[in-house]
Amino acid sequence: MKKLAFAAIALTFSSAAVADHAGAPTKGERVFRKCRSCHEVGEDAKYKVGPALNNLMGQQAGVLSGDKASKALKRAGELGMKWDLKTLEIFLRKPKALIPKTKMKFSGLKKHEDRANLIAYFQNLGAGEKPVKKDPTLSDAVLALVGDVEYGEYLASGCTTCHQADGSDQGLPSITGWPAPIFATAMHAYKTKDRENSVMQQQAGALDNEEIAALAAYFAGVTK
Amino acid sequence: MKFNRRVFVGAGVVAAASLTAPSVMGAARPRVVIVGGGAGGATAARYIAKDSKGAIDVVLIEPSRTYYTCFFSNLVLGGVRDFGSIGHTYGKLASEYGVNVVHDWAIGVDRDAKTVTTAGGDAISYDRLILSPGIDFRDGAVKGWDVTSQNKMPHAYKAGSQTQLLKAQIDAMPQGGTYAMVAPPNPFRCPPGPYERISMVAHTLKMHNPTAKILIIDPKPKFSKQGLFTDGWDRHYDGMIDLIGPEFGGKDPVVDPDAMTVTIDGEVTKVDVCNVIPAMKAGKIADIAGVTNDKGWAPVNAHDMSSKMYENVHILGDSSQQGDMPKSGFSANSQAKVCANAVRGALTGSKVFPAKFSNTCWSLIETDDGIKVGASYEATDEKIKKTSGFISKNGEDAGTRKATYEESVGWYNGITADMFG
Ligand SMILES: Cc1cc2nc3c(=O)[nH]c(=O)nc-3n(C[C@H](O)[C@H](O)[C@H](O)COP(=O)(O)OP(=O)(O)OC[C@H]3O[C@@H](n4cnc5c(N)ncnc54)[C@H](O)[C@@H]3O)c2cc1C
């Protein structure tokens, strides 16, 4: 079962016409070839030019490199930065945009599709973000829904009873700035009960496809 | 942009209607006066001010400078949280959202002149009035108890000094002493609240006073999450807690605050702490405003939380009689956002989206043993109607229960930020 079984369908947003995709791990494996000169994965993977990336997802920044980590990355980790969907999306696009003094000599992956596929690949390798039995396969029609940002903002008030509106993590995951298809997939996974958490299943279960798209569109546009 | 199936109040229609409102005719901005800065009122104030971006003048009347949340006050009693951590102030609502915070009591409402009078003597006019005054106790609900006895027999059902007092009394109990709770009849604020409190009292007694006893005198044949609580009590506090239900005299106990006794079915019991939680009704100002019914609650329309009795008045939270939602902080917060959206639409012509409500109540039974119950609701013409829900199960593993507690901490941080900014 694919982790994020999206076809590459472009969603256009009223605000910024961003093209967005969520990835497939198999395609991500091909993208990873670009990383292999420096990073290993798999059972006997060890530090090469950079760290082994088996358990990247959810890991505090700098931890995998141990004492070989750059000061900048270590510091980011100490300040609470973790490798998750959001930070990887930014880092993989242009590493220096996130960590200006990173030692990693890689200019970045320009195509969003490549980044999404690579992230999906990393998710498949390690522990993953959260126990996900399987993510549902969303139909093209559902994926093509354009979310109404204003309605999303209203619905989002139902999320901020628990999650922080400013995107900080104060005991519950940050939900701002996620790429819309990843957000939507997560919500659908709760709705179908493929992701566990009774509160989230309840919340997502009360939303229809358009409403999930509206929330995804709204939160994608909320950046700190 | 298209909206299938959804009916929005057309912006044009609303704008036309609001032209007749005097405030729109004149130069002044429309004004919303909110009475009560708790879970319902603070949320409504923040959302109306934030979303109208200055187009609505928001006045919040609240006597307290610091609002102590009832939610998590049981954890303070249990020593799991410190008292300071449940206090919140109104500074950000004023400085970041432009809410005019008036620290005073509302003591009168003139529905024809559309003004609210305060104890300090001001008359503040409104285009819309939102009441979220929480609860008050019914006179004579527990024989022998009235508000003058709340120092000897605290309710601690409005948080603050009462919470500190009850905690001090529990901490000062003699070894092997008895804590009694007179539990309230339905409906009351926070259905699992008394039983979470029992759990937290047991938690602290088990550590500091393990031979102490807990007595629950309850007029109700059953209570919220009962199976989960009693299972937890058996596991953690075996033999400590006695429940006296209605069939054994739990319905009409008599208390004597001077003698510190409770009389149940004619039998007098001496106790060391007596936590009396009397029957409840809507906050008094709802009575004064004339929006309550003969049961003491304020009936509202589910779509916008407006009074079923008078125009231009909305009631949120515990005071409202809305249908299926429990009286909780989560519910009040959820209702406030629906109301804020509707009120803003009526006064400025902004889009009004369909009402959606939800609630989750977490309770802590013992350190890292959390449970939860929750549901979603929709607005019908008759009431707020439950559509589906969930509840924790007995036999969940320790990891799940710990995660549930941790989730509640995240929720606490979320809802207080949602109320106060
Ligand atoms: C022990 C306990 C535990 C609880 N635990 C939870 C929980 O875990 N989760 C949960 O969701 N809920 C919980 N609750 C319930 C929750 O506290 C209430 O349901 C919620 O506070 C209701 O919000 P409200 O706006 O109706 O009233 P309140 O939050 O009580 O706010 C009312 C405000 O109005 C003010 N006021 C009253 N009269 C006037 C007047 N005349 N003029 C001006 N101001 C006035 C008061 O000072 C007060 O600040 C708990 C309650 C208790 C007692």
Side-chain angles (χ1 to χ4, degrees), chain B residues 7-334:
Chain B
V7 188
F8 293 121
V9 177
V13 178
V14 173
S18 57
L19 278 179
T20 58
S23 55
V24 178
M25 300 291 282
R29 296 181 290 162
R31 179 183 292 148
V32 176
V33 173
I34 299 168
V35 174
T43 307
R46 182 168 162 271
Y47 272 81
I48 294 173
K50 168 171 82 69
D51 294 338
S52 75
K53 301 187 172 67
I56 296 175
D57 179 12
V58 182
V59 178
L60 176 64
I61 306 176
E62 162 62 53
S64 314
R65 261 77 176 167
T66 304
Y67 174 85
Y68 289 95
T69 59
C70 277
F71 24 109
F72 277 16
S73 69
N74 287 329
L75 277 60
V76 172
L77 295 177
V80 175
R81 253 185 116 94
D82 71 280
F83 181 68
S85 78
I86 63 165
H88 304 270
T89 54
Y90 296 91
K92 266 196 189 170
L93 286 183
S95 67
E96 287 183 20
Y97 299 92
V99 175
N100 181 356
V101 184
V102 176
H103 287 302
D104 206 341
W105 288 95
I107 54 163
V109 174
D110 183 332
R111 293 186 311 264
D112 296 324
K114 295 210 271 180
T115 55
V116 178
T117 45
T118 65
D122 293 313
I124 304 173
S125 66
Y126 64 82
D127 294 289
R128 291 287 173 130
L129 174 63
I130 299 176
L131 302 174
S132 194
I135 52 99
D136 271 306
F137 301 116
R138 283 175 194 276
D139 293 336
V142 175
K143 285 193 202 85
W145 192 93
D146 65 25
V147 75
T148 61
S149 13
Q150 69 173 13
N151 256 29
K152 285 177 178 145
M153 295 190 168
H155 51 79
Y157 232 64
K158 296 183 184 187
S161 51
Q162 279 277 308
T163 313
Q164 291 176 293
L165 175 64
L166 182 59
K167 176 159 173 44
Q169 293 183 354
I170 294 164
D171 292 346
M173 269 170 64
Q175 289 297 312
T178 301
Y179 162 99
M181 170 190 282
V182 178
N186 291 321
F188 61 101
R189 81 168 11 164
C190 196
Y195 312 98
E196 180 186 58
R197 175 170 298 172
I198 293 296
S199 310
M200 288 294 95
V201 172
H203 164 79
T204 186
L205 291 177
K206 183 178 164 185
M207 289 195 303
H208 305 295
N209 193 347
T211 53
K213 292 278 174 221
I214 293 175
L215 198 57
I216 313 169
I217 301 141
D218 206 323
K220 304 180 291 299
K222 59 182 198 314
F223 55 80
S224 169
K225 298 190 254 192
Q226 183 160 2
L228 292 164
F229 277 115
T230 50
D231 166 76
W233 295 344
D234 286 347
R235 283 185 290 113
H236 302 298
Y237 316 116
D238 194 23
M240 192 182 240
I241 302 165
D242 263 337
L243 173 65
I244 300 174
E247 66 278 27
F248 298 105
K251 219 170 190 139
D252 44 9
V254 182
V255 299
D256 183 336
D258 292 319
M260 282 306 286
T261 58
V262 190
T263 308
I264 305 156
D265 239 359
E267 194 182 316
V268 182
T269 305
K270 180 107 182 69
V271 299
D272 299 286
V273 175
C274 193
N275 178 195
V276 176
I277 309 174
M280 296 168 205
K281 58 178 185 171
K284 280 193 193 78
I285 191 69
D287 263 343
I288 294 168
V291 293
T292 51
N293 60 15
D294 55 355
K295 299 207 167 68
W297 305 103
V300 293
N301 297 302
H303 296 287
D304 59 359
M305 303 301 291
S306 62
S307 167
K308 283 194 170 164
M309 297 176 158
Y310 289 101
E311 278 182 337
N312 301 321
V313 182
H314 302 250
I315 304 98
L316 305 176
D318 292 354
S319 283
S320 68
Q321 181 183 300
Q322 30 68 21
D324 296 347
M325 295 185 87
K327 297 186 187 299
S328 74
F330 199 123
S331 295
N333 169 272
S334 174

Side-chain angles (χ1 to χ4, degrees), chain A residues 14 147-151 153-155 157-158 160-165 170-172 197-199 202-203 206-208 210-211, chain B residues 1 3-6 47 330 333 337-338 341 351 353-356 358 372 376 388-390 407 410-411 413-415 417-418:
Chain A
S14 46
D148 175 54
V149 176
E150 200 184 346
Y151 188 37
E153 180 174 12
Y154 166 72
L155 292 170
S157 71
T160 53
T161 302
C162 301
H163 296 274
Q164 296 289 324
Q170 297 189 24
L172 294 172
N197 184 293
S198 51
V199 180
Q202 184 66 37
Q203 293 289 332
L207 299 168
D208 65 23
E210 287 168 58
E211 289 168 336
Chain B
M1 199 133 300
F3 295 100
N4 311 335
R5 292 180 288 110
R6 239 173 243 122
Y47 272 81
F330 199 123
N333 169 272
K337 289 182 271 205
V338 167
N341 183 252
K351 223 181 244 171
F353 296 103
K356 259 184 187 294
S358 65
K372 55 185 166 178
S376 305
S388 66
F390 68 90
E407 187 175 84
W411 160 77
N413 296 334
I415 191 172
D418 210 35

Side-chain angles (χ1 to χ4, degrees), chain A residues 65-136:
Chain A
S65 308
D67 47 17
K68 293 192 180 102
S70 69
K71 257 198 213 137
L73 198 61
K74 239 192 176 142
R75 176 96 188 104
E78 282 159 10
L79 288 172
M81 186 187 134
K82 285 193 195 127
W83 292 118
D84 57 19
L85 299 178
K86 262 199 303 185
T87 50
L88 274 174
E89 163 64 22
I90 304 166
F91 190 72
L92 291 173
R93 186 172 55 209
K94 194 173 173 211
K96 286 201 162 45
L98 188 66
I99 312 283
K101 296 211 166 124
T102 178
K103 287 199 295 194
M104 185 159 113
K105 295 200 173 40
F106 182 65
S107 61
L109 296 165
K110 285 210 181 58
K111 279 205 251 159
H112 177 84
E113 204 182 330
D114 286 345
R115 299 194 294 274
N117 288 334
L118 184 58
I119 293 171
Y121 174 68
F122 286 141
Q123 277 187 310
N124 232 14
L125 283 175
E129 291 249 278
K130 233 315 186 220
V132 180
K133 281 185 248 163
K134 62 177 168 50
D135 269 324

